[in-house]
């Protein structure tokens, strides 16, 4: 299986941040259409995700895939591997993706949309390259790609465009493709997270429920990556702020919230978005607050980074500080979220003007790759 580091997706003589963009190249050289899909074209929906190990023996090869070329020391990989071994070596993300695919298939069937749904990953089986070959063998001509990230950023959007490009280069063509747009602000995503926040708030005792600090979390990224997110920069943080505001207003209109970060996976020498959730909990306690509700707005499902970093580390920090702690669930397979996936698909098939995430400029979210020596040290690989 070709790894990301083995495949050059940039045509000779073109820089990665020059036109034609990945969105155009993945769509066969044409900009994503602003007109209805051609009648009779054989189409499919691809759920594209990060991937995760399925057994004890998968864990280290998976982490090596994730961190290849980043110079992460072996001892650090072994430390992170223990997080997976805590759950039997099985990443929750795979079962969650299977459940979401089943829910999407049911939603499409109910809506009378006859479209096959495929699944591919960046870092573990089913690899997107293998899925691409399967789709081509099945006669699929065009693919709509739903990525399990709702936001702008290199890792949250551009890298999924790169995954598509790598699959097409590895196969030598195959279906044309377009990624569905960012969905942080779709009513279904907001509704799913708002319902989860409401449940978490209700789990607190009456005497702290109305005064509990509301804390939204998302995966931290390097500040240089955050600075170039979106066509004008700063889109990752802006979209997260917008999503969190919508979620809170759906539950407790006007109530304040904090946006903080978790799951840092880089070396200490590189500045990342702060504050970390655990540092923020210490600040909350110093401020005199007695309860906190954490809602992981930056994630689609309760995968390892959510259940380890929040349900283990953050909850333990809160307990040490004497803080009441509640953690809201993620969108998962909430019916409103599943319906929003169908609506995004219908939006693109109907010929609505392509939005950000689908029609991304060539330089959007572009971060120049650093040589391994610059990314070594004690960075923690991201988890699935």
């Amino acid at each position: 299986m070709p790894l990301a580091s083995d495949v050059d997706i940039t045509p000779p003589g073109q820089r990665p941040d020059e036109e034609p963009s990945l969105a155009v190249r993945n769509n066969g050289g044409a900009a994503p259409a602003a007109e209805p899909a051609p009648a009779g074209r054989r189409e499919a929906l691809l759920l594209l995700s990060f991937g995760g190990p399925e057994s004890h023996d998968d864990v280290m090869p998976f982490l090596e895939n994730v961190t290849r070329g980043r110079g992460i020391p072996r001892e650090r990989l072994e430390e992170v591997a223990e997080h997976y071994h805590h759950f039997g070596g099985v990443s929750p993300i795979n079962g969650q993706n299977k459940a979401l695919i089943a829910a999407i298939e049911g939603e499409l069937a109910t809506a009378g949309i006859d479209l096959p749904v495929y699944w591919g990953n960046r870092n573990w089986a089913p690899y997107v390259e293998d899925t691409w070959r399967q789709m081509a063998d099945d006669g699929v001509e065009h693919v709509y790609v739903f990525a399990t990230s709702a936001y702008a950023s290199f890792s949250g959007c551009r890298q999924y465009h790169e995954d598509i490009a790598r699959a097409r280069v590895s196969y030598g063509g195959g279906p044309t493709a377009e990624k569905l747009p960012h969905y942080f602000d779709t009513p279904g995503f907001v509704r799913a997270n708002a319902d989860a926040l409401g449940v978490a708030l209700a789990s607190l005792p009456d005497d702290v429920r109305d005064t509990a600090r509301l804390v939204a979390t998302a995966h931290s990224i390097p500040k240089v990556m955050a600075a170039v997110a979106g066509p004008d920069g700063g889109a990752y943080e802006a979209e997260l702020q917008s999503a969190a505001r919508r979620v809170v207003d759906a539950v407790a209109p006007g109530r304040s919230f904090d946006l903080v970060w978790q799951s840092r996976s880089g070396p200490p020498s590189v500045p990342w978005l702060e504050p970390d959730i655990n540092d923020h909990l210490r600040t909350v306690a110093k401020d005199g607050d007695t309860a906190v509700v954490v809602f992981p707005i930056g994630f689609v499902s309760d995968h390892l980074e959510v259940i380890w970093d929040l349900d283990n580390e953050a909850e333990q920090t809160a307990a040490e500080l004497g803080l009441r702690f509640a953690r809201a669930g993620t969108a998962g397979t909430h019916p409103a979220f599943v319906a929003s996936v169908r609506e995004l698909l219908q939006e693109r098939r109907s010929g609505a003007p392509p939005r950000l995430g689908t029609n991304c400029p060539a330089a959007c979210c572009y971060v120049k790759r650093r040589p391994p020596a610059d990314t070594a040290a004690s960075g923690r690989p991201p988890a699935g």
Side-chain angles (χ1 to χ4, degrees):
M1 170 55 55
L3 297 169
S5 56
D6 301 329
V7 178
D8 186 358
I9 63 171
T10 304
Q14 180 187 341
R15 295 202 315 258
D17 57 341
E18 289 181 329
E19 300 291 350
S21 67
L22 285 164
V24 169
R25 288 193 275 125
N26 290 338
N27 198 42
E35 56 207 30
R41 184 171 67 178
R42 297 188 66 178
E43 298 180 332
L45 177 67
L46 169 67
L47 186 142
L48 182 56
S49 193
F50 189 83
E54 294 277 13
S55 71
H56 180 279
D57 292 341
D58 291 346
V59 172
M60 284 305 295
F62 163 75
L63 292 176
E64 289 166 353
N65 279 355
V66 173
T67 61
R68 196 173 305 275
R70 291 174 54 190
I72 305 267
R74 177 79 178 185
E75 58 269 23
R76 186 57 190 139
L77 296 187
E78 291 172 347
E79 181 182 343
V80 175
E82 289 306 310
H83 298 176
Y84 286 97
H85 295 321
H86 180 79
F87 298 97
V90 179
S91 171
I93 198 171
N94 296 321
Q96 291 160 1
N97 281 334
K98 292 174 185 176
L100 180 56
I101 288 169
I104 292 170
E105 288 173 334
E107 175 74 17
L108 296 181
T110 299
I113 301 173
D114 184 16
L115 210 68
V117 182
Y118 293 82
W119 173 30
N121 292 321
R122 178 182 305 151
N123 296 299
W124 203 249
Y127 290 99
V128 64
E129 293 90 342
D130 292 332
T131 304
W132 213 264
R133 181 172 299 277
Q134 183 62 60
M135 291 190 296
D137 290 347
D138 291 345
V140 173
E141 299 172 277
H142 187 75
V143 181
Y144 300 95
V145 180
F146 176 79
T148 54
S149 170
Y151 302 93
S153 76
F154 169 75
S155 56
C157 184
R158 185 184 180 95
Q159 199 167 9
Y160 287 106
H161 284 285
E162 292 186 355
D163 293 335
I164 299 165
R166 189 178 69 253
R168 298 191 80 241
V169 168
S170 298
Y171 181 76
T176 55
E178 55 186 297
K179 180 178 171 290
L180 297 180
H182 301 165
Y183 50 88
F184 68 93
D185 55 352
T186 59
F189 184 71
V190 172
R191 180 74 268 158
N193 282 280
D195 286 352
L197 176 58
V199 169
L201 269 171
S203 72
L204 291 175
D206 292 345
D207 60 334
V208 297
R209 187 177 304 142
D210 292 339
T211 57
R213 249 338 232 274
L214 305 185
V215 180
T217 68
H219 204 303
S220 184
I221 61 175
K223 288 186 176 180
V224 293
M225 186 183 294
V228 299
D232 302 312
Y236 182 61
E237 295 159 279
E239 290 179 354
L240 283 160
Q241 285 280 359
S242 175
R245 180 74 270 164
R246 292 165 189 262
V247 168
V248 171
D249 282 350
V251 178
R255 189 163 170 175
S256 64
F257 67 91
D258 309 314
L259 174 62
V260 306
W261 312 97
Q262 64 171 89
S263 311
R264 176 190 169 118
S265 57
S269 59
V270 177
W272 284 52
L273 295 177
E274 296 177 334
D276 174 77
I277 175 63
N278 294 285
D279 293 337
H280 187 67
L281 291 176
R282 296 181 184 100
T283 299
V284 165
K286 287 180 182 178
D287 289 346
D289 291 285
T290 58
V292 61
V293 177
V294 176
F295 60 111
I297 189 65
F299 304 90
V300 167
S301 68
D302 282 18
H303 55 61
L304 191 71
E305 285 177 328
V306 174
I307 60 178
W308 182 267
D309 294 349
L310 297 182
D311 296 351
N312 286 274
E313 293 180 351
E315 186 169 1
Q316 181 178 340
T317 298
E320 292 169 355
L321 295 168
L323 289 169
R324 298 273 192 159
F325 181 92
R327 198 269 288 177
T330 49
T333 57
H334 189 292
F337 176 50
V338 175
S340 73
V341 178
R342 187 250 309 153
E343 290 163 357
L344 288 169
L345 175 64
Q346 290 177 310
E347 173 188 325
R348 289 305 309 128
R349 296 183 86 198
S350 70
R355 297 187 285 116
L356 189 61
T358 297
N359 193 19
C360 298
C364 194
C365 298
Y366 174 66
V367 179
K368 186 176 181 180
R369 299 293 203 278
R370 292 171 176 264
D374 291 341
T375 56
S378 59
R380 187 180 83 175

